[in-house]
Each structure stands twice: as C-alpha cells, then as structure tokens.
C-alpha cells in the first residue's frame, strides 16, 4: 500500500469519528455523507468572525470544508469568507485578515482560489501537494488523520482546534 | 410603579440580515429556470440564533428555498416571503410602508384569532424585497421584520442576569424543560413555579385561545422568549410577543411584567439568559390603528436597500478572466517571483497572418495572459483549414467561408470573453507584385490600415506564408522601433527569430569576437540567409503555394515565437535585450545577458527530422533590402511613393541598396516558406 495516501474509506471513518467529538463539545462541525460516491463526503463548519477593517469592526462568516481529494489521496482543506450581502472576500483581503503573519508569496503558494471539486463554486483551497508532504510525516503516528491534518493547518487560519480532539 | 425606578422606553435590538452566497445562487436558479418573467412571491425560510456569542444576525442561505427548512442546534427557523421584482423601477417604486402594513394586516388577524397561542412561531415573519440584475450579478435587496409600532412599553432598570431570579437547580430544570419543548414552541413559552421547582410550558397551557381576553394570570408565571440579542437590550422578537400578550391580557396594563430572554452558550447552557422587567403603561395605544415597522437599515445607517455585488464569484466571464489570470500569477508566486505579470496584459500584439501559425500564436498568447490581439489577414476559412488552424471549426467554412481575421478574432472571444481581439481584413502589398491602376486605391487604403496598425501595436508577429509579404511589415516595424517576432515553416523545419530596430547600421560594428549582439542591432529576416534548412526542398509539391509541413512544426514554431516574445518582455532592455554571440555552450552565461526567463536567442532553427535545434545570432546587414538605414531613410522621405515603386519593381530596391549582385527577382520568387493554404487557395 502506498503509505503517502489514504483511502476514501479511511477518510470517511476519520471524519465520522471527528464529528462524534465535535458533537460532544458543540464545535459545530457537520458531516455530509455521500452514500454512492463516498469520496464526495465532506465535513463542514460555519462560524462568524469579526475583523477590524478601516477602524470598523465588521462581521464575516467563514465556512470551512474538509473533503477528500481523489487525485492526491489526501484530505483537502477549503474555505470561503463572505460579508453580510454574501460577497466573497478576495485572496488578498483574506491574507490581510489572516490569521498569522505570512508573506504574500508564502501564503499564495499554499492557498489559491479555484472551482471547488464538490460544490463547483469558487473556494480557497489549500494546495494538496503540501498536504501529502505534511501527512507523510505523521501518517503512522496519527490516530485520526482529520485531526492530524487540521492540527497542522489550523495555525494558518483562525481555526481554534479544541484539545479535546487530541485526547 | 415607583417613581424612583429608572424607566426607559424599551429599545429592541433589530435584526441584521446576513446572506449566504448560496442564497443568490438559488435565487438566480429559480429566477432563470422556474419563475422566468413571473413576479410571484415565494415562501422562504430564514433563521436566527439565540446563542450568546453571535448577536442579532438573521440568516438566509441556499436552503431557504427548500420546502422543509434545515434545522441546526440553537437556531430558530422563521417563515418569510421573498418578493423578487422584475425591474429596478418596480423595486424602487413599491410603497414600502404600505407593503409592511399589508403584511401586518395578515399577521394581526391571526393574533386576534388566537392562533399564535398554539402556534407561537406564527408571530415571527420576514420579507425580502429584491431585484436581481442577472447581467451584472448585482442583487438589490431589503429585509423587513414586521412588527406593530405600538404598544410602547418601558424597561425598568437594566436587564439582569437570570441568576438573580433562578437558582442553579432551577436553571438546570429550565434547561431540561426548554430542550424538551417542541421546536415550534421554543420561540415564546411560559415558566411556572411550583414550590422550589420550575416547569417549562407551551403558551397554550397558560393562555386559553377560546377566550377573547384573559384577566387572571397566575402570578407564578413568567414568560420567556428566545433572545437573539447579546447585549443589555432585548432582541426584536419580544416586540411582537408583547403586542400579542397585551392584546390577549389587557389587564396587564399598569403592571410590571417579568420576561426571560433565553440565551444559550455554545455548549447549550442557559446561564447567560437575561431577565427584563417591563412596565406596561395604563393607557396603551391600539395596535390596529398604528402602523407597522421593521425595514432594516443599510450599512450607512439609513432605511434603504443593500446591494450584493456577486459578479466576482458568479459572473462566468469574470470567473474565467480571474481564473486564467490566477494561473499566470501562480507561476510568479510559486516559481518565478521576478516575473512581471502585468506587462503581458498591456502589450498589444499584431498578428500578420491568421493561418496555422497565426492561430497557434494567438492561443499561446492567450495562455500567457496577453489580452490585446489583432489579426490581419485577407483570406477566408476553407474546408481544409480547421484541422490545422486551431481557432477555426467546420461552421467557419460554410457559405463560402468567413474572413479568417474576423473568425479568428471572434473565436478567440469564445475561448476568453474578456480578450480584446480585433480583425483587420487587408491584403499586404508585396515587392515585385505590381499595383495596377485598378488596384491603386485599394492598395493605398490597405497600406494605411497596415501602417497604422503597426504603429498602434507593441509587437508585430510575422506569420505569413510568403517571403515577399514580410517585407513591408519588416520595414515599417523597424522604422517604428517595434518588437518583431518572425516565424516561418518548412516541411519538417522551422525558423523563429526576432528583429533588430531602426537606423542602427552605422553603430553595428560588432566585433567578431564579441560575446553578444545588442538586441537592436540584430538582423532581420532579410538580413540573413533564410533558406529553410534540411531536405524540405525535395518534398515540395508541384504547386509550391500549398502547405506541406509536418503538422507539429507549426505548433512548435508558434509556441517558440510566443516564448521568445515573453522572454524579451521580461528582460529589462526589452527589444534591446542582447543575444549571445560566439557562444560555445560550455561557459556560464553572464547574468546581464539573461532575462528573468533566461537568455534570449536571436533565432531558433529547428529540424524535426533529427529532433534538434540551433540558435544562430547574426547582426544587421548594411545593405539589407528591408531594415538597412538607406531603405528606412528612403521610406521616411518618400513614404507611400517609395513603397509603390518597390511594389512595381523589385529592381528598384536593388538600386536603392546598391546591391548589384542581389538577384532580387530570383530571391523573391524562391518561396522559402510555404503557404498555409491548401490547393483550394486561389
């Protein structure tokens, strides 16, 4: 078996386990299972965030989606941020409201806007080749691949991962 | 009521609408595929949360149009109406106050009929008035949350935490009781106290819908509502609750009423709920006679509509443009940080010839992010063209065939709608092809078109099928100092080269030992031996005007032509970017001789037969028939008169350049590059 990738079944099992913990701690993640094509199953969380723009505190909604990337055989992370009329924020706006200090080049080399393979609408997607590299390190030590994956990327985004997931 | 108490008119915190992008996707879908021109109103769902960490946000999303709403923990679904207008005028002109009142006239009789007691959620409703501009993907919208403007009641002191009236044990009982309520009973309910215990009860257990009014209410009852507010003031739903309650229990006038605003923490506890003590005045104004309010304020704080500009994420044309842009930017972000992505967008390319090479070059330009592309061609698309000329299809050949320049320009827009592509249908006059009386006027017009086009563009691609046709554009482009990229094909060989510019022959004393030649001093197509290499000659057909090239040759040459241009544009010296000279391939190339994308050759000659290519460099030829100082000067002096002389006799150029040995006529008829056309060409 190729040790760098995981199967859709692995992904779904990890995702279900992840949702169990989320439900227990009211973290708001939901699972959307696709019965016929399990690789189209995904988990999603929506949350409000506030961000100060031009000295005004603005309310935004952020949606996180973790889905299975069929070509790379890894979990993929995608997200969108929008304001109250529903207009999506641009990549540069997202980098500025980021999350962590990161240069434009580094941020853009990891996150790009593209058509979402499941929703067919524009989303910001973390490039899966980085994911494969990262997960390779943790593959055999990880108890839950989704938790490991989120733990690795959460510093990049304002996504607080409760310690409960690791316990 | 004691006068020492602080009393203020109660301030309800209005809802703030928050629209999920998928709401606009669903609305668009319904408008285009179901409603079309119908202006019907539609029942939809919206929701708000009573979580204490979010605020008075009222949300709609793509599922709002579903028959059955999706449920989510700590959210409450509200049934509302969307009125999507067909025109912006209808949207603007509708009487907003009358619209709210007409909704009120539906809600109020329901309150009078007491249906709210068993269905308390019928008190809550919302309206969206909207207009969707589906050409621009602009959505104008205005939310309203209808409430009667009366009665006016007063908040005594400030609201208090729930712990001031309930013990921890009672809070626990409240939480359990609240969870076990039916979902539609959760918005407004009652709490009764029996001894130390409290019980959560639906409204219908306390109020009797069969009685027109009720006077005696058990003093141990407090009412509760789910409170979207997370500040000291109560949320909007309380306003309706009070109106309905006072209508059913008029005897509450002149008393103080305690109402609990249920607020949930993220983990589901109700400990952050609020207690409001409300003073009801003696003389209440009737709801019936007062108007209804509830239009949402926009971002400027005015009562007015909001605008959702969704073009960036919904307009397919903008999506295509930004996505293809992103592809080029990725190159910069990931691999070539010094690349200038803007220069391609602004560089205007003129393609002389819209045949096999022209189509290929245009597609590669598009891929590199060029957005200004003009074709000059006089031909029509014939049945043999589409298989090799990648911008054309069968339909372009029908009815005698479309003009190639026009078909190419329009088909480019089918690939990327935002490209600025143009067509100029003109024949390029050639030396040694005499212009008769009858053609004189047309030739002068064509000359003007071509010369103006060259002057207006930044880059001139020579992608023509004959050698003679390249003479005029080579001369005019050299005169204007434009970048010229030239591509020519043999059967299994190709030539791609860039030209030098302007009056530079006198400074062109390039040492034979020099390691480079400055870009401006490089030779043109006519300075150099252009005999197509290899064994192409023996494979010529009897008709030398037709295309006999291996199909891959045009694709390779077209791609290289564009890559050479891009490399040149990325070089700080642009057209003056040096070409390596006397380079044997062993030593390292000095950085000043390279651009961001590496060194830029003067010419590339490739041989498909052996799958090899070479990159020779040649300086300008002082007696060149196209780019030498003497020819350019003659053109500057005499203009069209000079050109016409050349067209009428190739010998004239020989005189001008003093090339007695140049057998021009022979050269000119020696077709070194083959036509893109097949036998069907005239």
């Amino acid at each position: 078996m190729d040790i760098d990738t995981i199967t859709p079944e692995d992904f779904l099992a990890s995702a279900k386990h992840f949702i169990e913990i989320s439900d227990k701690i009211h973290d708001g993640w939901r699972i959307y299972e696709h019965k016929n094509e399990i690789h189209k199953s995904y988990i999603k969380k929506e949350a409000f965030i506030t961000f100060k723009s031009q000295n005004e505190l603005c309310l935004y909604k952020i949606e996180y989606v973790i889905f299975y990337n069929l070509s790379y055989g890894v979990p993929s992370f995608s997200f969108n941020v929008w304001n109250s009329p529903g207009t999506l924020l641009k990549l540069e706006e997202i980098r500025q409201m980021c999350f962590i200090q990161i240069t434009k080049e580094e941020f853009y080399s990891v996150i790009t806007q593209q058509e979402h393979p499941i929703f067919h609408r524009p989303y910001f997607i973390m490039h899966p080749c980085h994911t494969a590299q990262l997960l390779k390190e943790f593959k055999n030590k990880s108890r839950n691949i989704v938790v490991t994956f989120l733990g690795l990327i959460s510093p990049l985004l304002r996504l607080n991962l409760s310690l409960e997931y690791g316990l | 009521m004691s006068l020492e108490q602080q009393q203020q008119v109660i301030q309800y915190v209005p809802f703030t609408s928050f629209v999920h992008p998928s709401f606009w996707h669903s609305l668009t879908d319904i408008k285009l595929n179901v409603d079309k021109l119908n202006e019907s109103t539609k029942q939809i769902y919206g929701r708000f949360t009573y979580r204490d960490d979010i605020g008075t946000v009222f949300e709609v999303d793509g599922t709002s149009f579903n028959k059955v709403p999706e449920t989510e923990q700590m959210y409450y679904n509200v049934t509302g109406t969307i009125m999507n207008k067909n025109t912006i005028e209808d949207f603007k002109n509708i009487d907003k106050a009358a619209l709210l009142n007409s909704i009120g006239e539906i809600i109020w009789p329901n309150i009078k009929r007491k249906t709210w007691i068993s269905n308390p959620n019928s008190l809550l409703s919302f309206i969206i008035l909207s207009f969707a501009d589906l050409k621009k993907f602009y959505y104008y919208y205005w939310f309203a949350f209808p409430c009667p403007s009366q009665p006016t009641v007063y908040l005594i002191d400030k609201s208090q935490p729930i712990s001031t009236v309930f013990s921890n044990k009672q809070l626990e009982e409240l939480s359990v009781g609240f969870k076990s309520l039916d979902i539609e009973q959760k918005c407004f309910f009652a709490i009764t106290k029996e001894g130390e215990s409290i019980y959560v009860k639906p409204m219908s257990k306390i109020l009797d819908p069969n009685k027109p009014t009720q006077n005696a209410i058990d003093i141990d009852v407090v009412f509760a509502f789910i409170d979207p507010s997370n500040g000291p003031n109560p949320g909007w739903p309380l306003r309706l609750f009070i109106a309905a309650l006072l209508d059913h229990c008029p005897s509450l006038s002149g008393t103080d009423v305690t109402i609990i605003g249920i607020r949930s923490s993220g983990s589901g506890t109700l400990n952050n709920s609020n207690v409001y003590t409300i003073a009801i005045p003696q003389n209440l104004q009737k709801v019936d006679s007062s108007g209804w309010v509830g239009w949402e304020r926009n971002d400027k704080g005015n009562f007015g509509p909001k605008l959702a500009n969704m073009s960036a994420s919904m307009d397919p044309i903008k999506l295509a443009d930004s996505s293809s842009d992103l592809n080029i930017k990725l190159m910069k972000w990931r691999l070539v940080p010094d690349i200038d992505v803007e220069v391609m967008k602004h560089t205007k390319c003129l393609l002389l010839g819209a045949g096999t090479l022209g189509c290929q070059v245009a597609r590669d330009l598009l891929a590199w992010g060029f957005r200004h592309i003009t074709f000059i061609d006089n031909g029509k698309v014939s049945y043999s063209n589409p298989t090799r000329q990648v911008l054309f299809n069968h339909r372009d050949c029908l009815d005698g065939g479309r003009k190639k320049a026009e078909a190419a320009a329009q088909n480019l827009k089918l690939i990327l709608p935002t490209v600025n592509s143009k067509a100029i249908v003109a024949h390029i006059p050639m030396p040694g092809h005499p212009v008769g009386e009858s053609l004189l006027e047309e030739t002068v017009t064509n000359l003007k078109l071509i010369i103006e086009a060259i002057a207006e563009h930044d880059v001139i691609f020579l992608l023509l099928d004959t050698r003679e046709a390249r003479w005029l554009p080579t001369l005019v482009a050299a005169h204007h100092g434009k970048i010229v990229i030239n591509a020519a094909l043999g059967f299994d060989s190709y030539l791609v080269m860039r030209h030098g510019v302007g009056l530079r022959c006198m400074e062109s004393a390039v040492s034979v030992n020099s390691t480079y030649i400055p870009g401006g001093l490089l030779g043109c197509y006519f300075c150099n031996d252009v005999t197509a290499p290899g064994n192409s000659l023996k494979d010529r057909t009897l008709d030398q005007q037709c295309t006999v090239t291996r199909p891959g040759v045009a694709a390779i040459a077209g791609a290289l032509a564009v890559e050479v241009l891009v490399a040149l544009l990325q070089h700080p010296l642009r057209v003056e970017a040096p070409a390596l000279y006397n380079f044997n391939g062993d030593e390292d190339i000095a950085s000043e001789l390279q651009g961001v994308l590496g060194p830029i050759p003067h010419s590339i000659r490739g041989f498909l037969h052996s799958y090899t290519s070479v990159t020779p460099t040649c300086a300008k030829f002082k007696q060149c028939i196209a780019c030498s100082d003497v020819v350019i000067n003659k053109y500057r002096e005499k203009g069209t008169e000079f050109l016409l002389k050349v067209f009428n006799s190739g010998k004239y150029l020989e005189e001008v350049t003093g090339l007695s040995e140049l057998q021009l006529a022979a050269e000119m008829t020696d077709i070194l590059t083959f036509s893109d056309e097949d036998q069907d060409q005239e």
Side-chain angles (χ1 to χ4, degrees):
Chain A
M1 194 185 123
D2 187 344
I3 54 148
D4 294 349
T5 62
I6 65 164
T7 65
E9 288 81 2
D10 290 342
F11 170 72
L12 188 57
S14 297
K16 280 180 174 168
H17 179 237
F18 182 82
I19 292 297
E20 277 171 29
I21 305 170
S22 168
D23 285 349
K24 211 177 288 172
I25 62 169
H26 302 279
D27 202 21
W29 287 92
R30 299 176 113 194
I31 190 160
Y32 298 80
E33 205 175 331
H34 201 292
K35 294 268 184 260
N36 299 327
E37 298 167 275
I38 54 170
H39 64 270
K40 287 187 180 168
S41 305
Y42 61 94
I43 59 171
K44 183 172 109 170
K45 175 181 174 170
E46 281 184 13
F48 281 102
I49 51 170
T50 49
F51 175 65
K52 210 171 193 176
S53 130
Q54 287 152 8
N55 282 331
E56 236 179 292
L57 204 60
C58 293
L59 187 68
Y60 298 95
K61 194 152 207 194
I62 186 161
E63 176 188 74
Y64 310 99
V65 177
I66 300 175
F67 62 101
Y68 181 72
N69 186 305
L70 198 58
S71 331
Y72 286 79
V74 291
S76 267
F77 183 77
S78 57
F79 67 98
N80 254 338
V81 187
W82 59 90
N83 57 16
S84 75
T87 310
L88 299 181
L89 264 61
K90 297 188 187 79
L91 191 59
E92 186 51 26
E93 291 169 314
I94 286 181
R95 190 183 69 85
Q96 280 170 10
M97 63 192 288
C98 192
F99 303 157
I100 59 163
Q101 286 294 315
I102 183 166
T103 66
K104 212 185 226 179
E105 285 71 25
E106 280 175 15
F107 185 74
Y108 289 172
S109 76
V110 182
I111 288 168
T112 52
Q113 191 176 30
Q114 59 193 86
E115 192 179 296
H116 198 284
I118 297 176
F119 309 127
H120 307 292
R121 280 188 275 119
Y123 270 77
F124 295 106
I125 297 184
M126 180 171 276
H127 203 274
C129 69
H130 294 276
T131 312
Q133 270 169 17
L134 282 172
L135 285 182
K136 197 173 169 181
E137 308 284 323
F138 293 88
K139 165 84 178 170
N140 296 318
K141 299 170 210 152
S142 167
R143 286 220 305 251
N144 182 316
I145 202 75
V146 171
V147 174
T148 306
F149 174 60
L150 265 181
L152 288 172
I153 61 168
S154 59
L156 196 64
L157 302 156
R158 269 201 230 164
L159 179 63
N160 297 320
L161 193 65
S162 168
L163 283 175
E164 314 259 347
Y165 288 108
L167 302 173
Chain B
M1 279 192 291
S2 136
L3 289 173
E4 294 98 67
Q5 286 170 328
Q6 285 242 325
Q7 278 196 19
Q8 283 182 334
V9 172
I10 199 162
Q11 301 281 323
Y12 304 100
V13 186
F15 279 120
T16 307
S17 63
F18 207 96
V19 186
H20 193 288
S22 62
F23 181 82
W24 302 125
H25 287 265
S26 295
L27 177 67
T28 307
D29 191 44
I30 289 167
K31 180 73 191 161
L32 292 177
N33 300 317
V34 183
D35 284 358
K36 293 172 186 169
L37 287 177
N38 276 341
E39 223 175 46
S40 62
T41 58
K42 228 175 232 12
Q43 183 186 294
I44 57 169
Y45 294 101
R47 58 195 187 142
F48 66 89
T49 181
Y50 45 97
R51 269 178 71 144
D52 58 5
D53 56 352
I54 289 175
T56 55
V57 176
F58 190 91
E59 296 177 67
V60 291
D61 65 16
T63 65
S64 292
F65 295 92
N66 290 2
K67 290 212 167 60
V68 181
E70 292 210 342
T71 57
E72 195 174 331
Q73 280 192 329
M74 294 173 240
Y75 271 86
Y76 194 81
N77 284 313
V78 177
T79 309
T81 309
I82 184 164
M83 309 171 82
N84 189 38
K85 295 289 163 192
N86 274 342
T87 64
I88 186 85
E89 286 75 24
D90 288 351
F91 175 81
K92 277 184 189 156
N93 294 339
I94 193 165
D95 184 338
K96 314 295 188 298
L99 178 64
L100 260 191
N101 285 335
S102 70
I103 301 283
E105 280 161 23
I106 298 167
I107 298 174
W108 195 244
N110 279 336
I111 292 176
K112 285 285 183 196
R113 277 198 297 272
K114 314 294 179 190
T115 47
W116 74 275
I117 293 174
S118 39
N119 286 313
N121 62 343
S122 67
L123 288 179
L124 297 174
S125 73
F126 69 102
I127 315 168
I128 304 173
L129 181 64
S130 64
F131 164 67
D133 180 343
L134 297 183
K135 284 202 183 80
K136 288 185 185 150
F137 294 89
Y138 284 1
Y139 299 84
Y140 300 85
Y141 67 100
W142 201 353
F143 275 74
F145 304 94
C147 269
S149 64
Q150 295 296 334
T152 304
V153 296
Y154 299 84
L155 188 62
I156 300 175
D157 290 334
K158 287 205 166 75
S159 57
Q160 302 292 321
I162 196 166
S163 55
T164 58
V165 294
F166 287 153
S167 67
N168 280 347
K169 184 175 156 287
Q170 288 170 327
L171 273 175
E172 190 65 26
E173 289 165 346
L174 172 66
S175 176
V176 171
F178 179 69
K179 278 204 180 90
S180 60
L181 269 183
D182 283 347
I183 179 92
E184 63 272 19
Q185 298 293 334
K186 278 195 160 104
C187 54
F188 306 112
F189 60 94
I191 301 166
T192 59
K193 272 188 191 173
E194 287 168 32
E196 282 304 301
S197 290
I198 62 163
Y199 298 93
V200 170
K201 296 194 170 149
M203 293 303 291
S204 55
K205 288 271 161 59
I206 305 298
L207 304 181
D208 184 352
N210 297 316
K211 291 183 181 159
T213 58
Q214 260 175 295
N215 285 332
I217 289 191
D218 192 332
I219 46 158
D220 273 343
V221 169
V222 290
F223 294 105
F225 72 105
I226 44 175
D227 191 357
S229 168
N230 58 355
N233 288 318
W236 200 248
L238 179 61
R239 192 166 191 165
L240 280 147
F241 191 35
I242 284 182
L245 206 56
L246 294 184
D247 185 71
H248 188 73
C249 308
S251 65
L252 290 174
S253 294
T255 69
D256 294 349
V257 179
T258 300
I259 295 186
I260 309 259
I262 296 290
R263 300 176 181 189
S264 172
S265 70
S267 58
T269 65
L270 304 180
N271 298 4
N272 289 336
S273 299
N274 246 12
V275 181
Y276 305 101
T277 309
I278 292 161
I280 318 282
Q282 278 293 351
N283 301 310
L284 286 176
Q285 214 180 321
K286 283 271 180 227
V287 167
D288 313 52
S289 55
S290 65
W292 285 63
V293 294
W295 288 107
E296 188 189 4
R297 288 176 192 269
N298 62 18
D299 303 333
K300 295 186 192 99
N302 304 323
F303 286 110
K306 293 188 181 183
L307 169 66
N309 177 354
M310 299 298 289
S311 61
S313 60
M314 288 180 74
D315 185 343
I317 289 173
K318 287 213 169 149
L319 280 174
D321 198 49
S322 56
S323 306
S324 50
D325 248 21
L326 193 68
N327 250 336
I328 296 156
K329 284 186 191 150
L330 279 180
M331 224 176 325
K332 178 181 175 71
W333 297 331
R334 294 209 172 138
L335 298 165
V336 197
D338 295 329
I339 209 165
D340 179 357
V341 293
E342 292 302 309
V343 70
M344 273 84 77
K345 259 188 214 169
H346 301 129
T347 301
K348 296 177 176 170
C349 298
L350 180 66
L351 275 54
L352 298 178
T356 314
L357 272 170
C359 290
Q360 198 68 51
V361 164
R363 289 218 64 147
D364 289 332
L365 286 174
L366 216 52
W368 254 114
F370 290 87
R371 296 296 178 256
H372 297 271
I373 298 172
T374 306
F375 297 93
I376 297 188
D377 200 298
N378 196 37
K380 289 179 173 177
V381 184
S382 72
Y383 287 113
S384 65
N385 293 154
T387 52
R388 279 173 180 249
Q389 305 186 5
V390 294
L391 286 177
F392 305 131
N393 56 60
H394 180 69
R395 257 175 299 166
D396 298 323
C397 322
L398 302 178
D399 306 320
R402 298 168 71 191
K403 289 285 188 187
K404 278 189 163 177
E406 288 166 358
Q410 282 169 23
N411 291 354
L412 215 51
K413 284 199 169 77
L414 296 181
I415 296 164
L416 187 76
T418 48
V419 71
N420 184 0
S421 58
K422 289 183 207 138
I424 297 171
V425 178
H427 174 73
I428 299 169
M430 296 179 267
H433 291 236
V435 180
E437 280 287 310
S438 60
L439 287 175
L440 187 62
E441 199 182 327
E442 193 194 322
T443 303
V444 172
T445 311
N446 282 345
L447 270 176
K448 196 164 168 279
L449 277 175
I450 294 162
I451 291 166
E452 275 173 8
I454 289 172
E456 278 168 15
H457 288 75
D458 306 306
V459 178
I460 318 301
F461 277 96
L462 305 185
L463 311 166
L464 301 148
D465 41 27
T466 64
R467 186 175 182 230
E468 307 97 289
R470 294 167 202 258
W471 179 81
L472 174 70
T474 298
L475 164 60
V476 178
H479 157 66
H480 284 290
K482 302 289 178 179
I483 295 172
V484 174
I485 307 287
N486 197 338
L489 309 178
F491 164 67
D492 61 357
S493 59
Y494 57 84
L495 164 69
V496 173
M497 69 184 297
R498 55 180 169 125
H499 288 184
V501 286
L503 297 166
R504 306 288 293 276
C505 290
M506 300 323 288
E507 50 174 298
S508 69
V510 177
S511 155
V512 287
N513 298 320
S514 175
T515 54
Y516 71 92
I517 296 179
L521 303 187
L522 291 169
C524 79
Y525 186 69
F526 295 94
C527 293
N528 297 272
D529 176 16
V530 293
T531 304
N535 55 2
S536 66
L537 286 173
K538 73 170 192 238
D539 289 311
R540 280 192 185 177
T541 59
L542 289 175
D543 178 358
Q544 294 187 336
Q545 289 282 331
C546 62
T547 311
V548 198
T549 68
R550 287 173 66 170
V553 175
I556 296 167
L560 287 174
V562 173
E563 294 299 332
V564 166
L565 171 65
V566 174
L568 203 59
L569 292 176
Q570 293 300 330
H571 195 288
L573 297 175
R574 290 177 53 115
V575 77
E576 294 290 345
L580 295 176
Y581 196 48
N582 293 319
F583 181 69
N584 62 22
D586 290 339
E587 65 262 52
D588 288 338
I589 300 167
S591 63
E592 60 268 25
L593 296 182
Q594 302 197 39
V596 174
L597 295 171
I600 309 146
H602 174 210
S603 65
I604 306 163
R605 288 161 186 269
F607 314 95
L608 220 52
H609 181 72
S610 54
Y611 297 95
T612 53
S613 61
V614 291
T615 54
T617 301
C618 305
K620 266 179 182 277
F621 176 41
K622 278 183 187 165
Q623 285 164 302
C624 174
I625 55 159
C627 76
S628 59
D629 293 4
V630 59
V631 175
I632 295 177
N633 277 329
K634 205 82 182 163
Y635 170 63
R636 286 184 183 179
E637 279 166 35
K638 306 276 183 189
T640 311
E641 189 195 324
F642 165 69
L643 297 177
L644 287 171
K645 270 189 180 170
V646 174
F647 301 146
N648 285 329
S649 163
K651 286 235 188 314
Y652 180 61
L653 271 180
E654 206 174 319
E655 289 165 29
V656 169
T657 53
L659 283 175
S660 54
E661 71 271 38
L662 184 68
Q663 298 188 328
L664 189 70
E667 280 260 11
M668 284 298 187
T669 49
D670 183 10
I671 308 303
L672 294 159
T673 57
F674 296 146
S675 163
D676 286 340
E677 309 300 312
D678 268 333
Q679 286 87 337
D680 52 347
Q681 161 115 28
E682 297 155 14

